[in-house]
Amino acid sequence: MAKPIAHYFKRIFDDYQVLVMVNPSDFTGIELIVHPDGTIEKTEMEFDEEIFEDLEEDEFKPCGALEFQLTLAKG
């Protein structure tokens, strides 16, 4: 059985950005907040089944796994 592929999203605000990874099999993931000074805040998350609708409503856009992983590695 194939392992579900994580989904990645981001939103750029005025002076910071948020990147989110969601594992669709159990709705866990990681939120990264990139602050203006370059510091990265990492939070392990547990989402509900409506996370994809919530992200769309909050104007998050899909992003690539590479961008997320590079940002995570900096943190």
Side-chain angles (χ1 to χ4, degrees):
M1 186 164 128
K3 182 179 177 184
I5 296 174
H7 297 269
Y8 301 90
F9 302 89
K10 79 172 178 180
R11 179 166 176 201
I12 299 172
F13 294 88
D14 289 334
D15 60 349
Y16 66 98
Q17 70 175 337
V18 178
L19 293 94
V20 178
M21 183 216 41
V22 179
N23 179 339
S25 66
D26 60 4
F27 297 105
T28 60
I30 299 172
E31 177 185 74
L32 302 175
I33 300 173
V34 183
H35 295 278
D37 65 0
T39 60
I40 298 170
E41 183 178 340
K42 174 186 167 189
T43 306
E44 301 279 335
M45 305 290 290
E46 290 187 19
F47 305 107
D48 62 24
E49 299 82 22
E50 297 171 356
I51 184 59
F52 297 110
E53 292 85 2
D54 294 342
L55 288 167
E56 183 177 345
E57 186 174 312
D58 291 339
E59 301 179 354
F60 277 78
K61 303 295 181 198
C63 75
L66 181 59
E67 179 179 5
F68 184 91
Q69 294 299 330
L70 288 172
T71 304
L72 180 60
K74 290 181 193 175

